[in-house]
Amino acid sequence: MMMINKPMFMNYFEDGSLLQHDKDKETFVLSKTDILGNFCLNQEEMEKLCKFIEMANDKSKVKAKLNGTILEVKIDEPKLKANINTLSIDNKPQLNLNEVISSFTINVDKLKIASAFSDKKGVRAVLNGVCVRNGWIMATDSFSAYKTPCEDTSVNLVINNSFINILKELKGNIKLETDGMKIWHKNENGLTYVGRLLNGTYPNLENIYNSIKNFDTTTLNLEPIYNIFALSGSNSLIGLTLDKFCINTSTTFVNSEFEGIFDFKFENEFWYSSTMLKLVLSFISDKKNVKFNFLHDNPTKPAIVNDEFLILPVRKME
């Protein structure tokens, strides 16, 4: 049975190879194909081709022949045929992946977690990605952050979220290569994923995390808190006040206090976005023993959870 990669915005077939790119031309996928001929399929026609090929059984042969601007596709079992409209490949992007200035191994699962904490809506383009620098994988949206060790300490770059998104089906350690402008990964199945790097100065998150030695540390059971998130509104706030952990919601349905869970009293009130805290807890398997690091007398300082996740307090609107 013929195999073909899933549709993208534009799909260029040339001499047994397939080059696909997204609408903004920020990410590309290169692969081999059994379909011969030089032509291009837009996303709609590519989806037709993929659905037609999926109709063939495992032992069936799929034949494709280019006739003018029409790709004629036939299946032996069941006996089916289809005509796919093609475009010219004159506008095919040219990619040069031969100039490698550095390569490194990185854990793609950590990249995907970091990407969840990046700024996907802000005006600072450099925050729309994940920074790999000085042996750390880092990301922030200016309100929360994630930081975890990286084996390679020589790398200093910012990887675009769009590239990380096309790696979502991969797991574990992968090898990445870069020419300083583009970044790519070649996997064992013959697929090559290509994206671009982001330019700009990334915030110095290292200094914030290094200040943890001056923070107070306590271990909390946040499992009850996490379970209540489903009942609270999206604008709910989580409060640390005196020795209580409070949930202040925009609805009257949920209004809970968990008393006596701290071994010290707070001199000020701290309020955190429930959305941010829920995101952090979604990546923590043991919610009964969550380590919190914070300055209990300074409500403007961040809390660092499990030495990896950082959340900033927000102002409680009276």
Side-chain angles (χ1 to χ4, degrees):
M1 181 177 176
M2 180 181 294
M3 299 299 293
I4 194 167
N5 193 43
K6 62 184 180 181
M8 292 181 70
F9 179 69
M10 283 295 175
N11 309 269
Y12 296 90
F13 293 78
E14 185 176 24
D15 301 327
S17 65
L18 173 60
L19 171 64
Q20 303 171 274
H21 73 74
D22 67 1
K23 189 173 184 178
D24 297 324
K25 294 187 178 180
E26 287 193 339
T27 54
F28 299 82
V29 177
L30 295 165
S31 60
K32 298 295 182 181
T33 177
D34 298 328
I35 299 179
L36 301 178
N38 299 338
F39 59 92
C40 175
L41 298 182
N42 62 26
Q43 187 165 352
E44 181 181 358
E45 296 299 312
M46 187 69 169
E47 288 173 350
K48 292 179 183 178
L49 176 60
C50 291
K51 290 178 180 178
F52 187 80
I53 293 175
E54 289 174 358
M55 296 171 65
N57 61 40
D58 293 339
K59 297 181 180 180
S60 178
K61 291 184 178 180
V62 180
K63 299 179 181 179
K65 180 181 179 181
L66 185 63
N67 186 1
T69 61
I70 301 298
L71 182 67
E72 300 174 342
V73 189
K74 297 180 181 180
I75 300 175
D76 293 338
E77 296 180 19
K79 288 187 176 298
L80 297 170
K81 61 181 180 179
N83 292 333
I84 308 294
N85 296 314
T86 70
L87 302 170
S88 168
I89 65 167
D90 291 345
N91 295 322
K92 176 187 174 184
Q94 300 300 315
L95 288 180
N96 180 8
L97 304 182
N98 296 321
E99 298 180 3
V100 180
I101 62 172
S102 68
S103 62
F104 58 97
T105 299
I106 198 166
N107 187 287
V108 70
D109 301 301
K110 293 181 179 180
L111 276 181
K112 289 183 281 189
I113 294 176
S115 178
F117 289 84
S118 63
D119 188 0
K120 301 174 179 63
K121 299 179 181 179
V123 295
R124 293 186 63 187
V126 72
L127 296 185
N128 188 19
V130 174
C131 178
V132 183
R133 181 173 64 196
N134 299 329
W136 296 100
I137 299 171
M138 302 175 289
T140 182
D141 61 359
S142 300
F143 300 98
S144 62
Y146 172 74
K147 174 173 168 285
T148 192
C150 174
E151 292 182 4
D152 197 313
T153 59
S154 63
V155 182
N156 187 353
L157 45 78
V158 183
I159 303 174
N160 199 325
N161 277 329
S162 59
F163 175 68
I164 298 174
N165 289 339
I166 63 174
L167 304 178
K168 60 184 178 182
E169 296 180 1
L170 305 182
K171 296 181 180 181
N173 290 333
I174 63 172
K175 180 181 178 181
L176 297 180
E177 298 176 293
T178 179
D179 61 3
M181 297 180 63
K182 300 184 300 296
I183 189 165
W184 60 89
H185 166 68
K186 299 178 180 179
N187 74 2
E188 299 174 349
N189 298 324
L191 293 176
T192 301
Y193 304 92
V194 186
R196 70 178 181 89
L197 298 175
L198 295 176
N199 296 321
T201 302
Y202 206 82
N204 193 341
L205 292 179
E206 294 95 330
N207 283 350
I208 299 177
Y209 278 89
N210 288 339
S211 66
I212 192 174
K213 61 180 179 292
N214 298 319
F215 283 26
D216 300 295
T217 301
T218 190
T219 300
L220 306 177
N221 177 10
L222 297 187
E223 191 171 52
I225 303 289
Y226 186 72
N227 293 334
I228 285 177
F229 279 132
L231 304 176
S232 59
S234 59
N235 295 323
S236 302
L237 296 178
I238 304 298
L240 309 183
T241 170
L242 294 179
D243 62 345
K244 299 177 182 178
F245 209 120
C246 306
I247 298 181
N248 182 281
T249 72
S250 57
T251 67
T252 58
F253 187 67
V254 178
N255 190 2
S256 302
E257 293 185 353
F258 300 86
E259 299 184 13
I261 61 176
F262 301 108
D263 54 4
F264 49 78
K265 291 185 181 296
F266 293 93
E267 298 179 19
N268 296 280
E269 287 188 351
F270 295 74
W271 293 95
Y272 296 95
S273 162
S274 64
T275 302
M276 295 293 185
L277 191 54
K278 182 179 180 180
L279 177 63
V280 168
L281 292 180
S282 68
F283 294 109
I284 298 176
S285 57
D286 184 8
K287 296 177 178 58
K288 292 183 177 180
N289 296 284
V290 181
K291 188 172 73 171
F292 255 76
N293 304 281
F294 46 78
L295 290 179
H296 70 278
D297 59 348
N298 191 335
T300 65
K301 289 293 184 180
I304 298 178
V305 186
N306 280 13
D307 302 336
E308 293 183 327
F309 304 97
L310 180 150
I311 51 176
L312 283 172
V314 298
R315 183 186 298 273
K316 182 187 177 186
M317 303 301 293
E318 301 297 343

